[in-house]
Amino acid sequence: MTISTTVDRVPASLRDWLSKPRLMLIDGKWVQAKSGKTFEVQDPATEMLLANVAEGDAADVDAAVKAARKALDGPWGRISPSARGRIIHKIGDLILEHLDELAQLESLDNGKPFSVARVADVPLSADMFHYMSGWATKIEGKHIPLSTLAAPGQYLSYTRPEPIGVVGQIIPWNFPLLMAAWKLAPALATGCTAVLKVAEETPLSALKLGELLQEAGLPDGVVNIIPGFGETAGAALAAHPGVDKIAFTGSTEVGKLIVQAASRDLRKVSLELGGKSPNIILGDADIESAIAGATAGIFFNHGQCCNAGSRLFVQEKIFDKVAAGIAANAEKIRLGVGMDPDTEMGPLVSSVQHGRVNGYLKAGLEEGARALTGGAPLNAPGYFVKPTVLVDTHPDMKVVREEIFGPVLVATPFKEADDKLIAAANDTVYGLAAGVWSRDVAQAHRIANQIKAGTVWINCFHVFDSALPFGGYKQSGWGREMGQAVLSNYLETKAVTTKLA
Ligand code: NAP
Ligand code: MG
């Protein structure tokens, strides 16, 4: 495969980095796969070669798990919380120092605009390390007074939160650096060690992050990074008996495989899975901001967000205006190569996703949906799909029921903000997020209370913060990422009781 032409748009130092085979990080060393195998990473905007990367498999995962155990039993297990926090904070600083380079890698590898990665993916990743660094010194147990079997004061009982141990972490390709940050920062804050399996489509920014972890002074083996395929490296990590806990982000389908693998010896699992989030616009909403919010709700990151507002419900009297407004916005979105400063939407991440999304568009149109705009791939190299708004849908169409993970909105009118609307919004196996747009605060909160989802945004969408827990009801997952809530994914609680007299 020839080298992608969009690589010409990055500085010589990064071109040089990309031109060398990228290795995996095990026990503080950059090493080839034990098998000697490598795989090609592609630029989705040109379908050309970006880099050659070591292809980890079960043997490399085994070495990484052993290194993580050694680090847990060694220096990382003995470091003070304050020193741990300082290293985590330093990682955040180093990410910001390498802002452009990381945003360039993210754009080349994933296809997303450099301009977006620079203001969203990379700063949010740094913030996750900065935010989590503070938790390192604040993981506390508590004294618990006993009532049974003891006269008051006869026993002293307290809890001790302890790191769960060696964690296996598996991440997807939609926000490659940010997903690594969401996983690694809390694992480090709680004192765990980690083996991170990055997505085969987008391994590069996490490998660069590995260099920054070393520069920050993280001891060898605390974080090990394995690029490779899900069926080999991922499956080996999920099934490895030396891993105390698996944290996974990706499809609901693979999430179920992870649970099966971990259930053999009942290892702990947390899951961040798919979604088909409802976005509800009531007749009294500020229409202009609702149109802008619903546009971003579905088209941000090319619709490749697990929380994308992909099912739009609009009150009948404003339906046509809102749907037309979103379609008009969609037509204005500039599609192009991520490294081009004018680009607002890049290609989808891979030919597989391109095929999947186009398959959904075809199925939707065949089942009778009508495209107000889009509805087809771009006739050009690269995995581009036109932003699409589908109307005239009904609740059992594939495009309404299944997660498309592309720039495709299905829009449906509703009559009243009643139980029927709530039932329609909740009519999904997923429960990750939802939006509600209304000037009536009481009504918006009533609806927020009735939606079965881990996040509800009122008069906004896609508002993320390292301090806010994020995760799913129903088949959208187990556990929460970010905020104080994520700490429990990585801690065990020990109750210690002493007889005083
Ligand atoms: P995926 O197959 O679930 O992949 C996610 C991660 O799991 C990747 O690192 C993948 O490795 C790994 N993996 C795959 N099979 C595995 C197995 N048997 N055992 C252990 N690990 C395994 O997701 P995808 O194919 O990249 O995307 C497909 C769908 O996933 C999307 O359409 C969307 O529905 C969902 N998704 C959700 C999120 C989210 O944030 N919740 C993010 C991305 C995708 P490889 O990369 O090597 O396959
Ligand atoms: Mg895959």
Side-chain angles (χ1 to χ4, degrees):
M1 218 192 263
T2 29
I3 294 177
S4 177
T5 46
T6 65
V7 172
D8 294 346
R9 297 176 190 235
V10 301
S13 56
L14 190 55
R15 285 205 300 274
D16 183 53
W17 190 87
L18 286 164
S19 71
K20 301 204 169 89
R22 301 319 321 169
L23 305 176
M24 58 184 97
L25 180 62
I26 299 179
D27 204 9
K29 285 163 208 71
W30 291 97
V31 294
Q32 314 256 17
K34 285 185 192 301
S35 67
K37 283 197 208 161
T38 60
F39 65 102
E40 292 185 339
V41 175
Q42 209 189 32
D43 178 346
T46 59
E47 305 177 35
M48 293 157 99
L49 179 70
L50 260 187
N52 281 294
V53 175
E55 185 193 321
D57 64 19
D60 306 294
V61 165
D62 188 55
V65 170
K66 287 188 175 123
R69 178 67 58 192
K70 194 174 73 175
L72 185 73
D73 294 341
W76 195 243
R78 291 192 292 269
I79 194 171
S80 75
S82 172
R84 207 165 72 218
R86 282 198 302 277
I87 293 176
I88 300 168
H89 201 273
K90 176 85 179 156
I91 297 167
D93 292 347
L94 288 170
I95 290 174
L96 291 181
E97 279 175 33
H98 291 78
L99 176 65
D100 282 343
E101 198 178 13
L102 287 164
Q104 284 156 357
L105 271 180
E106 213 64 325
S107 173
L108 290 171
D109 203 1
N110 166 281
K112 64 180 71 196
F114 166 70
S115 56
V116 173
R118 201 177 182 283
V119 297
D121 300 62
V122 182
L124 285 172
S125 302
D127 191 64
M128 189 63 186
F129 283 99
H130 284 148
Y131 170 81
M132 277 296 156
S133 68
W135 277 113
T137 48
K138 293 160 200 74
I139 295 168
E140 299 167 345
K142 51 181 171 181
H143 162 243
I144 300 178
L146 304 191
S147 298
T148 53
L149 305 172
Q154 199 179 346
Y155 292 94
L156 170 68
S157 290
Y158 63 90
T159 56
R160 238 180 85 80
E162 296 179 351
I164 206 161
V166 172
V167 300
Q169 304 182 311
I170 300 175
I171 56 171
W173 42 259
N174 55 344
F175 293 90
L177 184 70
L178 187 60
M179 292 301 100
W182 281 17
K183 290 281 181 274
L184 292 177
L188 295 177
T190 49
C192 295
T193 58
V195 178
L196 178 73
K197 205 300 271 176
V198 295
E200 70 189 65
E201 290 87 353
T202 55
L204 300 176
S205 57
L207 295 177
K208 181 48 93 177
L209 174 66
E211 296 176 5
L212 304 183
L213 300 179
Q214 292 184 300
E215 195 179 332
L218 201 66
D220 291 351
V222 175
V223 170
N224 305 273
I225 304 178
I226 309 277
F229 300 123
E231 296 73 11
T232 50
L237 185 57
H240 200 293
V243 170
D244 298 300
K245 186 243 156 74
I246 293 282
F248 171 78
T249 297
S251 61
T252 295
E253 190 191 346
V254 175
K256 290 175 183 172
L257 296 177
I258 301 289
V259 170
Q260 277 171 21
S263 71
R264 261 174 255 146
D265 38 11
L266 297 182
R267 263 155 320 107
K268 314 284 186 285
V269 177
S270 56
L271 303 167
E272 201 63 65
L273 308 175
K276 190 77 181 174
S277 298
N279 198 4
I280 301 169
I281 304 181
L282 294 155
D284 71 343
D286 171 342
I287 293 201
E288 289 317 312
S289 68
I291 289 173
T295 304
I298 182 63
F299 297 131
F300 176 65
N301 210 41
H302 326 166
Q304 301 170 132
C305 297
C306 46
N307 59 293
S310 50
R311 287 183 301 140
L312 185 71
F313 296 90
V314 187
Q315 201 150 12
E316 221 166 46
K317 61 183 177 189
I318 57 166
F319 179 81
D320 289 343
K321 186 167 180 196
V322 170
I326 297 169
N329 283 346
E331 276 160 24
K332 280 186 239 143
I333 294 173
R334 283 192 298 266
L335 266 69
V337 168
M339 285 305 298
D340 183 334
D342 291 332
T343 292
E344 292 172 329
M345 185 186 279
L348 299 187
V349 72
S350 65
S351 69
V352 173
Q353 285 303 110
H354 191 246
R356 257 187 104 222
V357 172
N358 285 317
Y360 276 113
L361 288 176
K362 208 160 157 265
L365 297 174
E366 274 167 16
E367 285 185 283
R370 180 165 57 90
L372 279 187
T373 186
L378 266 197
N379 200 7
Y383 306 124
F384 294 92
V385 172
K386 288 184 192 158
T388 297
V389 177
L390 296 178
V391 294
D392 299 345
T393 58
H394 59 78
D396 27 321
M397 282 181 178
K398 251 168 91 85
V399 286
V400 177
R401 303 219 69 78
E402 296 178 22
E403 183 180 44
I404 298 176
F405 227 65
V408 183
L409 180 69
V410 293
T412 319
F414 66 88
K415 280 199 170 58
E416 300 296 334
D418 54 11
D419 289 350
K420 255 176 83 178
L421 169 66
I422 299 299
N426 284 332
D427 181 18
T428 167
V429 297
Y430 298 112
L432 199 52
V436 183
W437 300 81
S438 172
R439 286 195 173 94
D440 179 343
V441 176
Q443 172 163 254
H445 282 280
R446 259 195 316 273
I447 293 174
N449 289 351
Q450 295 177 84
I451 296 287
K452 300 223 178 317
T455 290
V456 181
W457 287 295
I458 297 175
N459 294 333
C460 57
F461 211 90
H462 285 315
V463 178
F464 283 92
D465 193 283
S466 304
L468 267 179
F470 176 76
Y473 284 36
K474 302 195 271 184
Q475 292 191 34
S476 287
W478 292 349
R480 293 292 176 269
E481 306 277 350
M482 300 195 287
Q484 184 175 3
V486 71
L487 301 174
S488 64
N489 286 353
Y490 296 105
L491 292 168
E492 289 279 20
T493 298
K494 181 178 284 173
V496 180
T497 296
T498 309
K499 189 167 185 222
L500 297 179

